[in-house]
């Protein structure tokens, strides 16, 4: 049972790291096309997906520690995580998935900016006040 948890934790962490990396490439793509805000948006969306897997892995890793699993078995999590990340990287390089991501992102970037240019730009003071209040509550922790 512990080995199954170790494998699952490794899988979840490797997905989380890979999603964060894809998100960073979204920022690079946005910057390359002169759309840094859209690139940041791509990064946030991809990283949020990755954080889902990190949230799954954390408690399970704690469960292993609480069960008294030896440290060398827990170290296997790190080893397997980075072996899986290496395998994902090999697949990305083999199939040139970065250019596929760029093509998909640039289509989305163009569509997103086309729609944004069509909208009228008005500042809504009530909306700004709500955003400021929400930010202050969130930032205060």
């Amino acid at each position: 049972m512990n080995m199954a948890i170790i494998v699952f934790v490794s899988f979840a962490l490797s997905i989380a790291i890979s999603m964060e990396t894809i998100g960073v490439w979204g920022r690079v793509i946005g910057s390359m096309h002169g759309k840094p805000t859209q690139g940041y948006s791509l990064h946030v969306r991809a990283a949020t997906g990755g954080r889902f897997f990190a949230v799954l892995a954390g408690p399970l890793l704690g469960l292993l520690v609480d069960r008294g699993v030896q440290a060398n078995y827990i170290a296997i999590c790190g080893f397997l995580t980075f072996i899986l990340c290496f395998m994902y990287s090999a697949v990305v390089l083999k199939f040139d998935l970065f250019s596929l991501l760029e093509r998909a992102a640039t289509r989305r970037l163009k569509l997103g900016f086309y729609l944004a240019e069509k909208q009228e730009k008005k500042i809504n003071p009530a909306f700004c006040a709500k955003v400021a209040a929400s930010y202050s509550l969130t930032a205060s922790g």
Side-chain angles (χ1 to χ4, degrees), residues 1 10 63 83 108:
M1 181 65 164
S10 300
L63 177 67
I83 289 294
R108 181 136 189 162

Side-chain angles (χ1 to χ4, degrees), residues 54-83:
V55 167
L56 285 177
L60 290 174
L61 195 55
L63 177 67
L64 289 172
V65 172
D66 289 345
R67 283 186 172 181
V69 174
Q70 294 178 359
N72 58 344
Y73 288 114
I74 294 175
I76 292 173
C77 285
F79 176 74
L80 287 176
T81 296
F82 288 104
I83 289 294

Side-chain angles (χ1 to χ4, degrees), residues 1-20:
M1 181 65 164
N2 288 338
M3 203 58 187
I5 294 173
I6 288 171
V7 170
F8 181 78
V9 167
S10 300
F11 176 75
L13 288 176
S14 66
I15 292 291
I17 292 168
S18 298
M19 292 295 290
E20 186 71 42

